[in-house]
């Protein structure tokens, strides 16, 4: 299948999640003045009074009613959301890149912040869709869009996959003959459709409607927003555009066949290629970018809702990341408030007596114990300020850096990615065999978010202020 388009073109068709913002629709009734209602003649035979009277407010009210009704017809009801289970998984190349960067250092990262890092951009995750029992999902091609309705894929199949089966060329024909004084133009897209009496007008109108507006409004509503333009410059522009003829040449046949218009090519596509392209299964996995431009509006909205919920409380992504990071040999551990972190170093408690170690190491451990999450710079300033006055400051700094590096690499001190330092959390006896998994937390119960095993978004976001590993592959 052809390469996915950039995220910037995910607009216009209303087939996408609401996180992709659309420009405000123009007011199609801004210049509508309404129809003048003729007042009945007076009983004495005199002409009706055309001054401001009681009929004026009635006409304004009638015009306002028609305006609301017309706008209501153009916006179809919200799509019905299918009962599909949606899971978000890290994109393998992005995950491998993050694992490599974590292994190359010695700092610990918040698993909560990493999960949000993957969910931040659709290029960093994939979406797994699972249909309920006795139902199936349909996919177009090996890596194409998924839908709960086979007919939706059949309708959009040619536009999505024509470049995989046809070589598309644009050539110029002879200049358009005839004297045309006006052309029809689509107000919603600005597309020139040509004069209404030209032989190509109806085909252009129907094709533009099917490709861009069929799920937004009915064909009758779409026809009402077509305007007639008498500008000579617009007529000349249409003549120049009409000279461009698009041809479609098959690329998978022994003897290539060329079609002079999209309708003939689509008919050939439906007869020879489409029956073998649509597959049915209860579960499919698609790319994150593709999940934002599915032709199935209901399925797209379901994915959007699941993404919004997962972004607020990414327990599902944290589960996936936790398993993948452990499998890669990294250490996933709990710290204060039960928050999960990942580090390339296996942590352990310092069980030696402070009197049996060097004064520098003892001073570091005592300072971190007295001030948990102390920044590295603050720790250095504190220890240097308490040193004897006759001490060599430069030598003291080197000794402090060497001892701190040994404590971190040995797992006795945790260095977080924001530069703060802390000691490993000592597990209680009843937590010795407790697995480090993130339990989902309902958004409506913030009081449970401070429990061990719960997700504390505020605390995690504080740790996520410094740069995280790049997730781009």
């Amino acid at each position: 299948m052809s390469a996915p388009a950039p995220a910037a073109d995910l607009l216009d068709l209303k087939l996408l999640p609401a996180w992709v913002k659309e420009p405000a629709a123009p007011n199609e009734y801004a210049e509508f003045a309404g129809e003048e209602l003729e007042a009945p003649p007076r009983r004495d035979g005199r002409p009706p009074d055309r001054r401001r009277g009681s009929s004026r407010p009635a006409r304004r009210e009638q015009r306002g009613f028609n305006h609301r009704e017309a706008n209501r017809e153009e916006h179809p009801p919200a799509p019905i959301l299918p009962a599909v289970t949606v899971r978000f998984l890290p994109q393998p190349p992005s995950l491998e890149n993050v694992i490599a960067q974590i292994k190359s250092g010695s700092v610990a990262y918040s698993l909560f912040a990493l999960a949000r890092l993957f969910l931040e951009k659709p290029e960093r995750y994939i979406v797994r869709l699972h249909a309920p029992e006795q139902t199936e999902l349909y996919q177009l091609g090996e890596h194409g869009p998924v839908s709960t309705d086979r007919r939706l894929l059949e309708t959009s199949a040619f536009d999505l996959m024509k470049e995989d089966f046809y070589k598309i060329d644009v050539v110029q024909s002879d200049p358009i003959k005839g004297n045309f004084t006006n052309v029809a133009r689509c107000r919603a897209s600005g597309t020139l459709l040509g004069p209404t009496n030209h032989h190509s007008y109806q085909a252009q109108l129907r094709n533009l409607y099917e490709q861009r507006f069929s799920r937004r409004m009915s064909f009758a509503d779409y026809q009402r927003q077509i305007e007639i333009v008498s500008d000579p410059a617009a007529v000349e522009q249409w003549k120049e555009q009409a000279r461009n003829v698009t041809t479609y040449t098959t690329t998978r046949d022994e003897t290539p066949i060329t079609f002079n218009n999209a309708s003939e090519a689509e008919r050939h596509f439906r007869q020879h290629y489409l029956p073998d392209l649509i597959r049915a299964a209860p579960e499919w996995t698609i790319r994150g970018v593709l999940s934002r431009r599915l032709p199935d509006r209901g399925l797209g909205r379901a994915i959007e809702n699941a993404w919004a919920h997962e972004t607020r409380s990414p327990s599902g992504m944290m589960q996936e990341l936790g398993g993948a990071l452990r499998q890669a040999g990294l250490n996933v551990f709990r710290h204060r408030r039960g928050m999960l972190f990942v580090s390339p170093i296996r942590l352990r408690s310092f069980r030696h007596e402070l009197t049996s170690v060097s004064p520098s190491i003892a001073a570091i451990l005592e300072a971190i114990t007295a001030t948990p999450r102390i920044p590295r710079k603050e720790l250095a300033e504190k220890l240097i300020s308490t040193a004897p006055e006759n001490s060599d400051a430069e030598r003291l700094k080197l000794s402090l850096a060497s001892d701190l590096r040994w404590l971190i690499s040995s797992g006795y001190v945790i260095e977080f990615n924001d530069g703060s330092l802390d000691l490993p959390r000592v597990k209680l006896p009843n937590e010795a065999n407790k697995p480090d998994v993130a339990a989902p937390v309902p958004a409506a119960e913030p009081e449970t978010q401070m429990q061990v095993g719960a997700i504390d978004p505020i605390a995690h976001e504080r740790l996520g202020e410094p740069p995280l590993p790049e997730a781009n592959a």
Side-chain angles (χ1 to χ4, degrees), residues 343-406:
S343 170
I345 301 170
R346 184 162 296 278
L347 307 180
R348 50 182 175 169
S349 301
F350 193 85
R351 302 185 182 278
H352 305 281
E353 294 292 338
L354 295 182
T355 56
S356 63
V357 296
S358 67
S360 176
I361 290 179
I364 293 174
L365 295 176
E366 289 176 350
I368 297 176
T369 302
T371 310
R373 301 302 303 272
I374 183 173
R376 175 193 282 264
K377 182 179 180 180
E378 182 179 334
L379 174 68
E381 294 175 350
K382 182 177 181 180
L383 295 181
I384 293 175
S385 63
T386 58
E389 295 182 358
N390 56 354
S391 301
D392 186 351
E394 191 64 27
R395 183 177 180 182
L396 186 60
K397 290 180 182 180
L398 294 175
S399 175
L400 175 61
S402 176
D403 292 339
L404 183 58
R405 175 54 52 193
W406 177 80

Side-chain angles (χ1 to χ4, degrees), residues 133-150:
E133 295 183 2
Q134 300 180 352
T135 58
E136 289 183 325
L137 296 172
Y138 302 93
Q139 185 177 38
L140 179 64
E142 296 183 1
H143 307 287
V146 175
S147 174
T148 57
D149 189 348
R150 183 187 182 99

Side-chain angles (χ1 to χ4, degrees), residues 383-451:
L383 295 181
I384 293 175
S385 63
T386 58
E389 295 182 358
N390 56 354
S391 301
D392 186 351
E394 191 64 27
R395 183 177 180 182
L396 186 60
K397 290 180 182 180
L398 294 175
S399 175
L400 175 61
S402 176
D403 292 339
L404 183 58
R405 175 54 52 193
W406 177 80
L407 288 171
I408 293 173
S409 61
S410 300
Y412 296 126
V413 172
I414 308 172
E415 181 183 14
F416 295 96
N417 66 311
D418 62 350
S420 61
L421 304 170
D422 206 347
L423 300 179
R425 184 176 73 113
V426 179
K427 284 191 175 183
L428 300 176
N430 58 350
E431 297 180 0
N433 298 322
K434 186 174 182 179
D436 289 334
V437 294
V441 180
E445 299 179 7
E447 64 274 6
T448 64
Q449 294 182 351
M450 297 302 179
Q451 299 174 1

Side-chain angles (χ1 to χ4, degrees), residues 195-245:
T196 55
N197 59 349
H198 194 265
H199 64 85
S200 65
Y201 171 73
Q202 291 296 334
Q204 293 281 352
L205 180 67
R206 176 61 70 171
N207 288 340
L208 183 60
Y209 168 74
E210 293 293 342
Q211 292 176 8
R212 303 184 64 176
F213 302 99
S214 59
R215 294 175 183 85
R216 200 187 285 193
M217 63 183 76
S218 65
F219 185 65
D221 291 335
Y222 176 69
Q223 285 181 303
R224 282 195 288 269
Q225 62 89 46
I226 299 297
E227 62 179 353
I228 304 300
V229 181
S230 300
D231 184 9
V235 176
E236 292 301 321
Q237 182 182 355
W238 167 77
K239 285 184 177 182
E240 189 64 25
Q241 293 176 358
R243 292 183 59 189
N244 296 330
V245 178

Side-chain angles (χ1 to χ4, degrees), residues 65-81:
F65 174 80
N66 291 339
H67 175 82
R68 290 191 297 270
E69 288 295 323
N71 279 340
R72 189 179 298 116
E73 291 177 0
E74 288 193 6
H75 298 281
I80 300 176
L81 303 186

Side-chain angles (χ1 to χ4, degrees), residues 21 37 43 48 57 69 87 92 130 155 166 366 378 442 446 463:
K21 301 297 183 183
L37 300 180
R43 292 183 180 181
E69 288 295 323
R87 292 177 57 196
H130 186 79
T155 301
Y166 301 92
E366 289 176 350
E378 182 179 334
L463 296 178

